[in-house]
Amino acid sequence: MNQNWRSAVGRHLLLLLVPCLLVGLVSGEYALPLLIGIGAYLAWHIKQLLRLHTWLRERRPDEAPPEGYGLWGEIFDNIYHLQRRDQRVRGRLQAVIDRVQESTAALRDAVIMLDRDGNLEWWNRAAETLLGLKTPQDSGQSITNLVRHPRFKEYFEQGEFRDALELPSPVNDHLHLQLQITRYGNSEHLMLVRDITRLHQLEQMRKDFVANVSHELRTPLTVIAGYLETLLDNVEDVNPRWLRALQQMQQQGARMQNLLNDLLLLAKLEATDYPSDNVPVSVDLLLLSIKNDAQALSAGRCHRISLEADPHLRLKGSETELRSAFSNLVFNAVKYTPDEGEIRIRWSGDENGAQFSVTDSGIGIETRHLSRLTERFYRVDSSRASHTGGTGLGLAIVKHVLLRHRARLEIASVPGKGSTFTCHFPPQQVIRRG
Ligand code: ADP
């Protein structure tokens, strides 16, 4: 091919130059015929260029290139083949895209692609039924304008996306959704939404069942505890053989009552997202009262309990819930620290928010237990638990209260040396007094 167009160019030049030189020989004037010849050659090239330009601009798909001679013919053909190849590649890519889109469109889970600012780029059919997105009106809209739940806005703005988020569907209150966002490419977001209504209903049934059973057991237990108390108040009328049994029954009855109270509290904490009474709480005063209770609990065990609290830092939230969480941590420190041990309670703040911490010089916890401590009824050592009279629900309550106050729990412990439980509160929950 190369040879062809080279010889064609050579032939053209020869055909141009020979007549010009002949005319020059006859007339004795070489410059003018050469100029006319080169001008004609140039005009022919410009004409071919214009033909190429018109063909490229007005070409219909699959339209063959214009006929051309020599070098121009070669150029027309090459461009045509390049375009055909490009069309074939594009066709194959389109087929792959179509298949991916068809399969994601058929998914029962919603798939939504958002740009780096959270504006909608693409979504499948399930996104329309689960989130109510409308094609094509919603294209380019911000996702936080379409899913307006306050928890979603907070989740999206935080930008961490470590855990999935559960929400009711914005189009149907009966649908419960789980949303998970992943970043990809150039900080774009891929959002997957699953319908977990069935799972949510089962979870709700479990919660209701536990709450109802706890509630129903409360009355008979109160009656039994009442009679036991009356019997033990009149201890002189009781057959001495039954005295120990009655005392143990009273002890276990009190344990059951604590258990029911904790179960009911957990059920209440799970029922809503955030505390209903979101008021400023004076944590320093709250901790002073908890410290006094801890001293009473320690009684003859002579723990050295100290408190350092910043009086200028207050927390937004529910005082009852915070009291229950903080006292659980402080009372645990008393329960799991040997006599005369040291317990330090601290409440302080910095630019990352505020921290409440309890450090003890107690028995400590092995690292392998730490991640599971906040599970309900999880105990490091069950013999230890029955000895301390704990319910195994204390840290689960702490976790739930903290979740409701946008805080997190950090546990550090060295067996035999002691533990530190720290609650980290974000700046938006903290109020500083001047
Ligand atoms: P419990 O009612 O049994 O204390 P919690 O949920 O409060 O239940 O605590 C779970 C387990 O974590 C406890 O059984 C105990 O083994 C361990 N634990 C909690 N706090 C401490 C602590 N300060 N020192 C050592 N172990 C602790």
Side-chain angles (χ1 to χ4, degrees):
M1 282 281 256
N2 270 348
Q3 290 308 318
N4 282 351
W5 70 259
R6 280 214 183 97
S7 57
V9 170
R11 247 195 339 269
H12 284 168
L13 282 174
L14 214 63
L15 278 171
L16 178 77
L17 287 178
V18 170
C20 291
L21 287 174
L22 281 176
V23 174
L25 204 66
V26 174
S27 62
E29 175 66 72
Y30 287 98
L32 192 65
L34 266 177
L35 210 65
I36 294 172
I38 290 170
Y41 192 54
L42 202 66
W44 180 76
H45 275 299
I46 290 172
K47 188 178 165 219
Q48 301 305 319
L49 209 60
L50 285 173
R51 286 176 70 207
L52 174 65
H53 176 69
T54 320
W55 175 65
L56 286 177
R57 205 182 48 197
E58 289 165 11
R59 184 179 74 96
R60 284 183 300 278
D62 291 333
E63 192 187 61
E67 278 301 317
Y69 310 102
L71 178 59
W72 281 104
E74 197 106 353
I75 289 174
F76 289 154
D77 283 350
N78 282 343
I79 292 178
Y80 182 65
H81 286 126
L82 273 178
Q83 283 184 333
R84 289 298 298 259
R85 204 170 60 195
D86 190 43
Q87 262 169 10
R88 276 199 300 273
V89 172
R90 250 189 302 163
R92 273 203 298 272
L93 277 177
Q94 191 58 48
V96 173
I97 293 172
D98 288 349
R99 274 192 76 74
V100 172
Q101 286 199 342
E102 263 169 39
S103 51
T104 36
L107 273 180
R108 294 229 234 139
D109 296 344
V111 183
I112 300 142
M113 288 162 107
L114 307 165
D115 67 10
R116 56 189 308 159
D117 301 320
N119 300 323
L120 290 173
E121 280 184 338
W122 181 86
W123 58 92
N124 65 351
R125 263 198 304 275
E128 297 175 13
T129 39
L130 295 181
L131 293 177
L133 303 186
K134 290 187 194 72
T135 313
Q137 299 96 300
D138 288 340
S139 185
Q141 290 258 23
S142 168
I143 187 74
T144 46
N145 283 344
L146 299 164
V147 183
R148 286 179 162 270
H149 200 288
R151 272 201 294 132
F152 178 74
K153 199 162 186 294
E154 204 173 295
Y155 175 73
F156 194 80
E157 278 165 8
Q158 253 172 13
E160 284 183 13
F161 314 130
R162 255 181 308 186
D163 303 312
L165 177 73
E166 290 181 15
L167 289 179
S169 159
V171 276
N172 182 351
D173 276 349
H174 300 296
L175 286 182
H176 214 82
L177 309 177
Q178 186 188 57
L179 293 88
Q180 176 78 67
I181 297 183
T182 321
R183 282 188 201 278
Y184 73 99
N186 205 2
S187 261
E188 284 110 330
H189 305 82
L190 179 71
M191 186 160 113
L192 297 177
V193 184
R194 267 197 326 142
D195 179 357
I196 52 156
T197 312
R198 180 93 191 102
L199 213 70
H200 182 72
Q201 276 167 351
L202 288 173
E203 180 77 356
Q204 198 55 44
M205 270 162 65
R206 177 193 64 78
K207 285 181 194 166
D208 290 349
F209 176 74
V210 173
N212 289 338
V213 168
S214 313
H215 194 75
E216 292 301 325
L217 283 177
R218 237 178 169 184
T219 320
L221 201 61
T222 315
V223 174
I224 295 170
Y227 278 122
L228 282 172
E229 203 178 319
T230 321
L231 278 173
L232 285 167
D233 279 350
N234 301 296
V235 80
E236 59 282 357
D237 301 336
V238 176
N239 185 337
R241 274 172 52 208
W242 292 107
L243 186 63
R244 206 176 126 64
L246 287 175
Q247 279 169 339
Q248 275 198 351
M249 281 158 84
Q250 193 184 33
Q251 220 176 33
Q252 294 303 321
R255 231 185 120 185
M256 274 172 84
Q257 269 174 328
N258 285 342
L259 195 65
L260 291 185
N261 287 342
D262 277 1
L263 281 172
L264 280 170
L265 177 60
L266 261 177
K268 209 176 104 194
L269 291 175
E270 280 179 334
T272 53
D273 283 344
Y274 293 121
S276 46
D277 44 346
N278 215 351
V279 292
V281 178
S282 301
V283 179
D284 56 325
L285 299 180
L286 178 69
L287 292 181
L288 197 65
S289 118
I290 293 177
K291 184 195 163 197
N292 291 336
D293 292 347
Q295 243 141 8
L297 182 70
S298 165
R301 296 177 59 204
C302 305
H303 291 108
R304 280 168 290 137
I305 307 178
S306 67
L307 167 66
E308 289 164 45
D310 184 342
H312 303 295
L313 281 180
R314 294 198 291 173
L315 259 185
K316 268 190 267 175
S318 153
E319 176 157 357
T320 346
E321 290 183 16
L322 290 170
R323 175 184 286 277
S324 141
F326 293 168
S327 55
N328 258 310
L329 293 176
V330 176
F331 296 168
N332 271 353
V334 175
K335 284 194 281 182
Y336 300 109
T337 302
D339 298 0
E340 293 171 25
E342 196 182 343
I343 296 164
R344 295 174 67 185
I345 309 168
R346 261 177 293 188
W347 169 242
S348 60
D350 55 25
E351 67 280 3
N352 298 322
Q355 295 86 37
F356 163 77
S357 70
V358 186
T359 306
D360 63 52
S361 61
I363 50 176
I365 309 154
E366 281 180 57
T367 317
R368 68 193 162 99
H369 297 296
L370 293 184
S371 60
R372 300 196 56 194
L373 276 191
T374 53
E375 285 174 22
R376 277 154 218 231
F377 299 113
Y378 185 82
R379 282 177 177 132
V380 172
D381 174 355
S382 52
S383 62
R384 198 203 275 182
S386 57
H387 166 71
T388 59
T391 60
L393 293 171
L395 291 180
I397 292 176
V398 174
K399 184 179 126 182
H400 269 87
V401 170
L402 294 187
L403 263 178
R404 288 158 67 80
H405 288 79
R406 301 185 175 86
R408 65 184 171 85
L409 180 67
E410 184 191 332
I411 310 171
S413 189
V414 181
K417 288 236 163 24
S419 325
T420 300
F421 288 74
T422 313
C423 310
H424 296 274
F425 291 89
Q428 80 234 54
Q429 291 295 119
V430 183
I431 306 169
R432 283 166 210 274
R433 273 191 299 200

